Amino acid sequence: MPITDWPLGERPRERLILQGAGVLSDAELLAILLRTGTAGRSAIDLARDMLSHFVSLGGLLHAPVNELLEQPGLGPAKLAQLAAAAEIGRRCLAERVSQANALSHPDAVRDYLRLSYGFSVRETFVAVYLSAQNRVLAVEELSRGTLTEVRVYTRELIKSALRHNAASVILAHNHPSGETEPSRADRDLTVTLSKALSLVDIRLVDHLVITTTCCTSFAERGWL
């Protein structure tokens, strides 16, 4: 049955307007973006199928374009709407990060990094450069590797930190495997980079290991 034939109190768009977006399920929110279904299937049906295929909203919004276009009912127009929604979310988080004290409000930085890099299928190493007041000056991708490893060059990190006139740095990299525990290599690299940064009076505040669902903090483990 098309959503337009549903009782008004059950339609996702009307419920959002009357009760707020928080009351809607992931499928209902996605259906609002899709707007229409296909012959014999409502937008809610399509949304549920897509969420089942991609496991989560995050998995859907970060999926490769060619894989998305294989989904029934998802053409270029709907794909553009989904991409726009994902980018709006990232930009809102980036705005929040730029305005917050990164040390007093670490969740803002972590949420941004997790959304931006947690779903990457390759390990990506990122640096967040902070001012003396702990404001975010820039977020920069330093290198991108394979499914299981990424190389980071100390010299490039130092050059980039000095270029941004950073007083401190937060490092982060993702684990596409979903494993949240830092490896021995991660810990050794962190020690090396921390010592190198200290030689130019830049403090390494934290190193975060990112997955789709969480961040593991070296500082909270007592490793920095």
Side-chain angles (χ1 to χ4, degrees):
M1 178 189 297
I3 293 177
T4 51
D5 292 341
W6 292 12
L8 282 175
E10 296 180 10
R11 298 178 193 176
R13 187 180 302 168
E14 284 72 13
R15 288 181 62 218
L16 183 150
I17 293 171
L18 292 174
Q19 302 175 49
V23 304
L24 300 187
S25 67
D26 289 351
E28 289 172 321
L29 289 170
L30 181 56
I32 290 175
L33 288 175
L34 295 176
R35 297 181 56 227
T36 59
T38 58
R41 297 187 65 75
S42 69
I44 285 280
D45 294 327
L46 294 183
R48 287 171 179 159
D49 289 345
M50 290 177 192
L51 289 174
S52 175
H53 180 84
F54 293 103
V55 181
S56 67
L57 278 175
L60 170 64
L61 294 177
H62 289 83
V65 171
N66 61 327
E67 191 173 349
L68 288 169
L69 289 175
E70 292 175 356
Q71 295 300 302
L74 189 58
K78 286 185 172 63
L79 180 60
Q81 290 166 207
L82 294 178
E87 184 59 24
I88 287 171
R90 278 191 290 269
R91 293 189 186 189
C92 286
L93 282 175
E95 183 177 301
R96 180 184 170 206
V97 165
S98 68
Q99 295 172 353
N101 181 309
L103 302 190
S104 299
H105 301 86
D107 286 346
V109 174
R110 296 180 190 188
D111 288 345
Y112 173 77
L113 292 172
R114 187 171 56 81
L115 180 62
S116 299
Y117 301 100
F119 292 87
S120 175
V121 296
R122 293 191 293 170
E123 280 204 17
T124 305
F125 202 93
V126 180
V128 181
Y129 301 108
L130 307 178
S131 70
Q133 294 75 37
N134 300 320
R135 300 286 182 179
V136 174
L137 299 170
V139 179
E140 189 168 272
E141 184 178 309
L142 295 177
S143 59
R144 184 173 293 190
T146 66
L147 178 65
T148 57
E149 66 177 358
V150 61
R151 296 194 177 199
V152 182
Y153 297 97
T154 304
R155 179 180 177 183
E156 295 305 313
L157 172 62
I158 298 297
K159 284 172 58 179
S160 186
L162 291 173
R163 184 174 72 252
H164 290 292
N165 196 29
S168 57
V169 178
I170 297 173
L171 299 176
H173 76 281
N174 66 305
H175 278 180
S177 66
E179 173 58 55
T180 59
E181 187 66 22
S183 67
R184 181 74 251 179
D186 292 337
R187 296 183 63 177
D188 291 342
L189 175 63
T190 302
V191 171
T192 298
L193 296 178
S194 179
K195 290 179 178 178
L197 287 166
S198 69
L199 293 175
V200 289
D201 295 321
I202 298 175
R203 178 189 170 211
L204 179 57
V205 173
D206 204 349
H207 185 174
L208 303 171
V209 176
I210 306 164
T211 67
T212 57
T213 57
C214 66
C215 293
T216 298
S217 163
F218 277 51
E220 291 178 357
R221 291 285 186 93
W223 295 341
L224 283 173

